[in-house]
Amino acid sequence: MLSKGTPYPLGATFDGDGVNFALFSENASAVSLCLYDETGQIQTASLSVEHCSHGIWHGYLPDAQPGLVYGYRVSGPYRPAEGQRFNPHKVVLDPYAKDIVGQWVDSPLYFGYQPAHPELASVDDNTAVALKGRVIHEPYDWGDDEAPHTDWAKTVIYEAHVRGLTQLHPEIPAEIRGSYAAIGHPVMLAHFKQLGISAIELLPVHWHLDEPRLKQLELQNYWGYNSINFFSPEASYWSHRAGTTPLSEFRDMVKALHSAGIEVILDVVFNHTAEQDHMGPTLSFRGIDNANYYVLNHSNAAHYENWSGCGNVLNVSHPRVLQLVMDSLRYWVNECHVDGFRFDLAPIMGRLDGHFTANAPFFVAIAQDPQLSTVKMIAEPWDIGAGGYQVGHFPQTWSEWNDQYRDAMRKFWLHDGVNRALFARRFAASSDVFHKQRRGPKSSLNFVTAHDGFNLRDLVSYNHKHNLANKEHNRDGHSHNYSWNCGLEGPSEDPGILLLRMRATKAILATLLLSQGTPMLLAGDEIGHTQQGNNNAYCQNNAISWLNWSQADHKLTDYVAELIKIRRECAVLQNTRWWTGQPDEDEIQDVVWLNPSGQPLQAHDWEDAAGRALMVCLAKNLLVLMNASAHQIHFHLPAGIWAMRLASTGDPQSDFSGKDCRVAARSVTILQRDLSRNQGD
């Protein structure tokens, strides 16, 4: 028998004597708490939840213990045309469940409707297949764990997939490969420290499902952008070692990364859920309070708005749904010590009455929260709804994925159509996009490759996508990649093609890691990983996506590490001020833009569409020579004695006092002023 209990906190909470249950459902007429054996297959009790306060149904079960498996049956009208989809024949998952029991299978038992008559409720019971929650109580000894709190100006992000990062690593014990534990293993920590990254951004780790279409094709949702719960760590990334749980292993990973000075950023998907469109399954939110949890179509409440492209949109502007999101974020910060979040399709989080605004309730809630306002917030600043492209329009404290940077740098190095003026704007943290909004340089999260699209090796190896393995007849994935195969589509043994590809690869990496703003490196780019031309490997849980460490290009890794070291040593890349090009009190300019003759760029130089080469002098100390043309170019160096720091061609170090410097086609040379020999210069 349930006693009254309390409406807060939401979810199932063990207090040492029993468990309090609280579920939001404003439109329900009745709620039953169903209890099961440890497998979730045998129902042991069904208890009526009698008390409801402000739309929250609550009850307390004395003597209940952690490990208890539970679900809900929620009664109310089944009137899809009015947005109501209650069906007590369906056991639904608690949105606040901290652990989940069961495996998702493609079964008609999940449907809340009768397939032949969708306007009628299904009377088939789904107990056998329903996902259920498990009560947890997992105290954790964080010891002396401290968040690195890395300044944005010093941040270098490494985007990775939990499984793909280590699944094929020969130096990781086989029993933990592809797991949270593997990321915290000393071998991976050593790699991260060698590179010099400051943060790892993990693709979604919330409990997610495979779409029925993928299951029918015998594929999986590898990336995980299909959440059904925002509190439970994805169990398939757990090693299943004795004495561990998904939560404890995740925490161990965070603790290990923090010990190495590396922040943990989670890619989160609050724009939609795995319940799909109006013909999708009833798993959780839809059966609890469909009309409040989702944004319904204004002209037909039986359907959903689809700004996500995934069939539904979570109604974050509703106070209780906003509370769910905020509670989830605080849970990962407080209980798991996460350092930041990247929001998938983030304009949806800022839509109010369908229109994006930086003053939306979600952004206001984040800004005033004493905990969340101090962690890193990153937006993917586009969705597919009307007015969905919002690069540059997020709140001041946010950083944004900058696709304008991505496209401009790809075009500059691999194609044409980017003059020096546009290149410089992107290199200087896209000041034209962010500075006018009174944002800082850190607002531009610069990337050339990410999980979505070609990785770097494929960017210089393929003109076209090769996605047949996705079983969509190569129709999926972006067709305008600004890639270049350097003369041959796919793998090549031609020394000339391989040399050109390596120069372009290194030039792009140098540009990324020496630009103002916040750089993001895609895991695998530093070892030369290929996805065999697949630019949409979201469903490839196999060697296409898993990093092949046995064939790692260690020289390329060393090159990336040296670039990050140079970035760390360059003061103008470590400050929070926009470059001005004006002398400071010591008569030092933060940036000077020069043509190959060593003269400051003039108006005609900036706008010359054929101008494919320039020098960028940073703080009178670092000189970056860039040649994106198809021919070797001579550069006349500024006065002084310069020493080679790094070259994308692998040239040995040498002095360039008063000399010209030759830079090969599509390559970068980085020189450093020899201060000991430039006294009085």
Side-chain angles (χ1 to χ4, degrees), residues 18 237 348 437 578 633:
Y237 303 152
I348 287 176
Q437 301 293 334
W578 290 102
I633 289 183

Coordinates of all heavy atoms in Angstrom, one line a residue, residues 18 237 348 437 578 633:
G18 N 12.4 3.6 2.6 CA 11.5 3.3 1.5 C 11.7 4.1 0.3 O 12.8 4.8 0.2
Y237 N 27.4 0.8 -23.3 CA 28.8 1.2 -23.2 C 29.4 0.8 -21.8 O 30.4 1.4 -21.4 CB 28.8 2.8 -23.3 CG 28.2 3.3 -24.6 CD1 27.7 4.6 -24.6 CD2 28.2 2.6 -25.8 CE1 27.1 5.1 -25.8 CE2 27.7 3.1 -26.9 CZ 27.1 4.3 -26.9 OH 26.6 4.8 -28.1
I348 N 15.7 24.4 -31.2 CA 14.5 23.9 -30.7 C 14.3 24.2 -29.2 O 13.2 24.5 -28.7 CB 14.4 22.3 -30.9 CG1 14.1 22.0 -32.4 CG2 13.3 21.7 -30.0 CD1 14.1 20.6 -32.7
Q437 N 27.3 40.8 -32.2 CA 26.3 40.4 -31.2 C 26.9 40.6 -29.8 O 26.3 40.1 -28.9 CB 25.9 38.9 -31.5 CG 25.4 38.6 -32.8 CD 24.0 39.3 -33.1 OE1 23.3 39.5 -32.1 NE2 23.7 39.5 -34.3
W578 N 39.0 40.3 -28.9 CA 39.0 40.2 -30.4 C 40.3 40.8 -30.9 O 40.8 41.8 -30.4 CB 37.9 41.0 -31.0 CG 36.6 40.3 -30.8 CD1 35.6 40.6 -29.8 CD2 36.0 39.2 -31.5 NE1 34.5 39.8 -29.9 CE2 34.8 38.9 -30.9 CE3 36.5 38.4 -32.6 CZ2 34.0 37.8 -31.4 CZ3 35.7 37.4 -33.0 CH2 34.5 37.1 -32.5
I633 N 55.0 28.6 -53.8 CA 55.1 30.0 -53.8 C 56.3 30.5 -52.9 O 56.5 29.9 -51.9 CB 53.8 30.6 -53.3 CG1 52.7 30.4 -54.4 CG2 53.9 32.1 -52.9 CD1 51.4 31.0 -54.0

